[in-house]
Amino acid sequence: MRLRETDPIVHEVRYPLASAASLAARPAPALAITARRGAGRGRATELRLRETPRLPRAHEGCSRHRRCRVSSADGESLVRPRRRDSRRRLPRHSGGSSARAHEPRLGFLLRFRQSRNLAFSACVMCGLIALWLVHLAAGLSPSVSRGEVGLAGSKEAPLFRFGILADVQYADIPDGQNYARTRTRRYRQSLEILREASAHWRRVGVDFCVELGDMVDSKAGAARDDERWRALAAVKDAMGSGLEWHVPIGNHDLSVFGRKELHAELVSSRAPGPDELYYEWRPAPGFRCCVLDAYEMSVVGAAGGDEGRLEAARYLSRRNPNIDVGDPAAPSSGSPGGWLAGLDDVDDHRFVPYNGAYGTRQLAWFRTLLDDAHTRREKLIVFSHPPVFRSASKANNCAWDYDLLLRTLDDYPHTLALFFAGHDHDGGYALRANSEHHLTLAAPIECAPGQVSYATVDVFQTRADFHWVGKIPDHPHDRWPDLVHF
């Protein structure tokens, strides 16, 4: 068969090689006749026959397969395919219309485009964007989430955060004076300071809160028994709900409540035993916190004739001759100068009735805690009502056996990170050996009108950031730090 140059060019001609019956069972191949024309004028044109597979029915009339099969002998295409056919398309062999069978697979966006309910898809996308924006905003605001930033300006998220204040000493009575009648104590204002601090900590988000003892004043239950419980209920109400509280007992707490009552109200199952008011917990990996009971041995709060109180009175009188064993809370009649008369050594000023001792049993427990923390390379944070380091307080506010506790700490260097205390209403700070930071917080009970005193602490792996609010120590060398390393 020969074609003249004036004959029309056949793009693609298919001749079935199988019968109609066999085609119904299986698509048969077809013959494709490709016409090629000679390079010169008047030369004969040749035909090439090649066998090609029959296209599926969905591809009949597909633009990809309508492109011309006729080209000249030197390879020049006589009829070029349509422009849109130059794009590579991957035909799908699923059923349905040919237009939908060859849609490109564009992944997630294509599935949204092909969705029957575009409005629903748009709502889902908007919801995802909104959730992402909320998550982003939460990561930039102070909260208890680990994605937060520090209150002191650090962009690093703290391991944990806690709020702390000391010596609320609430009583529903008018303002009064301290024992020496040199300071004004505002009993009702201190409760409002506690309420403000609790609201602040709920707002910024903390893992726990600490009140460093003396929640109520000794005058809270002086008149009637039910007044002390009303005072304690008012303090708990000011603390509010949704916050975890830890309270090392103070001398004023013991003067109003018995040890068993305080155990039930403050400690419960946290303590290692039914009679202990000290315990420990892990706020985050690599850290331990513990509450100490500096009145394990004390002359405060126990009924007359109690063996523990009598033992404490004898212990105290051997170190301070001004103490009367029969009435240790009152100065001896032979000592007109009071509890500190004749005590030339300032270190002996700690032996006064409103202080107490940790005792041998608690110190043994504390040594075990230190040994375990030191072995695990954990840092320890301690909360106690009286301080144990004289440079961070006045000598007459330290625990009776503070020196034994410091010796225990020296056996485990670089284990104690922070030691918080109250009791000394002026407050103070000192850095001890082995990077031990001792902080004594100022008391809300002696704040000026309208003044407050509390702090928020962000703890990181090797440092702590402090956000102080209100009253700070008056002396520059006692000023609390904004950041400490340990």
Side-chain angles (χ1 to χ4, degrees), residues 318-352:
R318 287 195 298 268
R319 291 158 177 81
N320 187 345
N322 300 311
I323 302 299
D324 184 357
V325 176
D327 187 10
S332 172
S333 58
S335 303
W339 290 320
L340 302 181
L343 298 180
D344 298 329
D345 189 351
V346 177
D347 193 47
D348 291 336
H349 289 187
R350 56 181 154 150
F351 297 112
V352 289

Side-chain angles (χ1 to χ4, degrees), residues 99-119:
R100 294 193 58 180
H102 307 304
E103 289 284 355
R105 296 180 179 179
L106 298 180
F108 179 78
L109 294 178
L110 179 60
R111 287 195 293 274
F112 263 100
R113 194 186 72 179
Q114 294 177 339
S115 175
R116 296 181 179 179
N117 193 344
L118 295 178

Side-chain angles (χ1 to χ4, degrees), residues 54 151 198 203 289 430 436 445 471:
R54 179 180 293 275
L151 288 177
S198 301
R203 186 166 57 253
C289 292
E436 297 175 3
I445 185 65
K471 183 179 179 181

Side-chain angles (χ1 to χ4, degrees), residues 49-68:
L49 300 180
R50 61 184 178 88
E51 193 175 71
T52 60
R54 179 180 293 275
L55 296 174
R57 184 176 300 277
H59 291 264
E60 298 289 347
C62 173
S63 61
R64 175 177 174 83
H65 298 91
R66 281 204 304 270
R67 63 179 61 184
C68 181

Side-chain angles (χ1 to χ4, degrees), residues 249 254 259 275-278 293-298 308 312 356-362:
I249 64 167
L254 278 172
R259 293 184 64 87
D275 299 325
E276 287 80 8
L277 295 175
Y278 50 87
D293 173 18
Y295 295 89
E296 179 84 354
M297 178 186 294
S298 171
Y358 297 105
T360 55
R361 180 176 61 170
Q362 184 175 185

Side-chain angles (χ1 to χ4, degrees), residues 83-103:
R83 184 176 183 85
R84 68 172 178 268
D85 293 334
S86 61
R87 295 176 295 178
R88 294 179 59 86
R89 295 191 180 183
L90 299 176
R92 295 193 307 181
H93 297 280
S94 59
S97 64
S98 60
R100 294 193 58 180
H102 307 304
E103 289 284 355

Side-chain angles (χ1 to χ4, degrees), residues 120-441:
F120 175 76
S121 302
C123 291
V124 171
M125 181 63 74
C126 292
L128 293 174
I129 294 175
L131 288 176
W132 178 77
L133 292 175
V134 169
H135 177 74
L136 180 64
L140 297 176
S141 62
S143 68
V144 78
S145 170
R146 292 295 172 260
E148 64 196 353
V149 295
L151 288 177
S154 172
K155 295 182 179 180
E156 179 186 359
L159 296 177
F160 61 97
R161 170 183 293 168
F162 63 91
I164 189 167
L165 81 167
D167 297 80
V168 173
Q169 286 186 222
Y170 169 69
D172 191 14
I173 57 176
D175 297 348
Q177 301 290 318
N178 61 347
Y179 293 123
R181 298 192 176 278
T182 58
R183 306 279 185 90
T184 299
R185 294 183 173 178
R186 297 174 174 84
Y187 302 100
R188 290 168 178 160
Q189 177 182 271
S190 64
L191 187 68
E192 298 307 314
I193 295 174
L194 173 61
R195 197 183 309 277
E196 176 185 326
S198 301
H200 173 75
W201 293 328
R202 277 192 296 273
R203 186 166 57 253
V204 302
V206 294
D207 292 276
F208 60 90
C209 303
V210 179
E211 202 280 338
L212 290 166
D214 283 358
M215 295 185 300
V216 297
D217 192 83
S218 57
K219 299 177 182 179
R224 296 188 316 181
D225 182 71
D226 58 344
E227 289 185 1
R228 62 181 185 140
W229 292 108
R230 283 202 299 268
L232 182 61
V235 170
K236 287 187 172 182
D237 180 71
M239 288 177 170
S241 60
L243 295 175
E244 175 186 328
W245 283 89
H246 300 273
V247 183
I249 64 167
N251 53 302
H252 284 270
D253 300 322
L254 278 172
S255 65
V256 178
F257 297 97
R259 293 184 64 87
K260 292 186 179 298
E261 293 173 327
L262 290 172
H263 185 280
E265 291 292 331
L266 304 178
V267 179
S268 186
S269 60
R270 296 169 175 170
D275 299 325
E276 287 80 8
L277 295 175
Y278 50 87
Y279 58 92
E280 58 99 5
W281 75 99
R282 286 184 171 91
F287 282 88
R288 291 248 189 118
C289 292
C290 82
V291 164
L292 294 182
D293 173 18
Y295 295 89
E296 179 84 354
M297 178 186 294
S298 171
V299 298
V300 180
D306 181 81
E307 288 298 325
R309 184 173 185 267
L310 182 60
E311 180 185 356
R314 290 171 177 168
Y315 173 91
L316 188 58
S317 64
R318 287 195 298 268
R319 291 158 177 81
N320 187 345
N322 300 311
I323 302 299
D324 184 357
V325 176
D327 187 10
S332 172
S333 58
S335 303
W339 290 320
L340 302 181
L343 298 180
D344 298 329
D345 189 351
V346 177
D347 193 47
D348 291 336
H349 289 187
R350 56 181 154 150
F351 297 112
V352 289
Y354 52 79
N355 293 332
Y358 297 105
T360 55
R361 180 176 61 170
Q362 184 175 185
L363 288 176
W365 173 86
F366 187 62
R367 177 177 288 276
T368 302
L369 172 63
L370 279 171
D371 183 73
D372 187 55
H374 186 76
T375 301
R376 298 173 182 267
R377 297 184 179 274
E378 295 175 322
K379 291 293 184 179
L380 181 64
I381 301 176
V382 176
F383 305 100
S384 169
H385 181 62
V388 296
F389 191 35
R390 280 176 46 188
S391 299
S393 173
K394 294 184 285 293
N396 64 318
N397 290 122
C398 291
W400 292 346
D401 54 352
Y402 78 84
D403 51 341
L404 299 181
L405 188 140
L406 292 181
R407 291 176 197 168
T408 305
L409 290 173
D410 291 339
D411 292 338
Y412 302 93
H414 301 286
T415 301
L416 176 67
L418 302 167
F419 194 106
F420 289 94
H423 200 44
D424 184 343
H425 292 183
D426 292 333
Y429 164 77
L431 174 63
R432 195 170 174 265
N434 300 321
S435 300
E436 297 175 3
H437 299 273
H438 292 256
L439 300 100
T440 305
L441 273 67

